[in-house]
Amino acid sequence: MDPAHDVVSAWTRIVHWLEEHAPAAARTLNPPATDAELGRLANALGRPLPGELEAWLRLNNGSTALDTRTPIPGGDRLDPHPDSRLLPGGEVFLDCASIAERHAQHLRIATDIGDEDWWPPAWIPVLAEADAHYGLLLDTGGRREGAAPVLFYSETDYAKVYAPSLGAVLTAVADMLEHGGGDSALTHGRYPSVQDGHLVWD
């Protein structure tokens, strides 16, 4: 199966469910990424975008539509909207600019600590906690035939294999939303509920 097709199919199911059952969460979704935004992201990453990631961003450019920024000394602070945390682990679907920003930040840290294995250039963050080094990435260097594997990363350990593809992650979430069941390994053992139009993972 085409990895991009798997992502489009699963994400379409997720968005349909959110629009019908959790409209507050659906409102956090940005419009599709433009060709210009995708081009800037590819330039920032220094490599072509994986087909599955480009397909996802062409549906929605992240779940950051309601996020705000607060000025602080030396810059500003991103304040994620609570409803932007669409995934079972509390992760935000990163937009093009956020992916580029985090990718550059992680590469700088790897250089600063002198450990290229901590974050190789081929790793692309796609889902992340808004205020912590924690989330899921696409390992484009690990692609063999078909999809790039998904790795889980955290502040306390090196990244490790999480799922065979982005499509597998999103399909598990879609199954859980639609049927209340699915692969708990990919949904953190949590179950979805809706409270006043807001998606909650218990």
Side-chain angles (χ1 to χ4, degrees):
M1 187 71 75
D2 176 17
H5 177 274
D6 292 347
V7 166
V8 169
S9 176
W11 187 247
T12 299
R13 292 168 56 198
I14 290 171
V15 172
H16 177 75
W17 190 94
L18 293 175
E19 290 174 342
E20 183 174 352
H21 300 282
R27 286 193 290 271
T28 69
L29 296 174
N30 289 307
T34 65
D35 288 341
E37 288 170 324
L38 293 167
R40 286 194 293 270
L41 175 56
N43 288 336
L45 297 175
R47 65 191 62 243
L49 297 182
E52 59 266 53
L53 177 57
E54 179 175 343
W56 195 18
L57 292 168
R58 284 191 182 278
L59 294 174
N60 294 104
N61 186 19
S63 64
T64 60
L66 301 182
D67 293 355
T68 57
R69 288 187 177 272
T70 301
I72 60 174
D76 55 26
R77 181 187 70 239
L78 177 65
D79 295 316
H81 192 277
D83 288 317
S84 69
R85 304 172 188 270
L86 299 180
L87 281 295
E91 301 95 343
V92 171
F93 170 21
L94 300 177
D95 57 41
C96 289
S98 299
I99 291 172
E101 180 181 4
R102 285 174 180 258
H103 183 261
Q105 178 186 33
H106 298 338
L107 287 180
R108 285 195 299 270
I109 293 173
T111 298
D112 290 345
I113 65 177
D115 186 355
E116 294 181 356
D117 291 335
W118 188 83
W119 195 280
W123 287 2
I124 303 175
V126 292
L127 297 163
E129 275 283 351
D131 52 3
H133 182 74
Y134 172 98
L136 300 179
L137 63 89
L138 286 180
D139 179 11
T140 62
R143 184 190 300 270
R144 295 297 178 261
E145 294 182 4
V150 176
L151 309 185
F152 167 80
Y153 67 91
S154 67
E155 295 185 23
T156 58
D157 202 358
Y158 285 94
K160 60 189 69 175
V161 175
Y162 180 80
S165 68
L166 182 58
V169 174
L170 297 180
T171 297
V173 174
D175 289 345
M176 183 68 79
L177 291 174
E178 293 175 345
H179 310 298
D183 189 340
S184 61
L186 301 184
T187 50
H188 298 259
R190 296 185 171 96
Y191 293 86
S193 63
V194 177
Q195 298 177 8
D196 297 325
H198 301 272
L199 174 62
V200 177
W201 289 94
D202 300 317

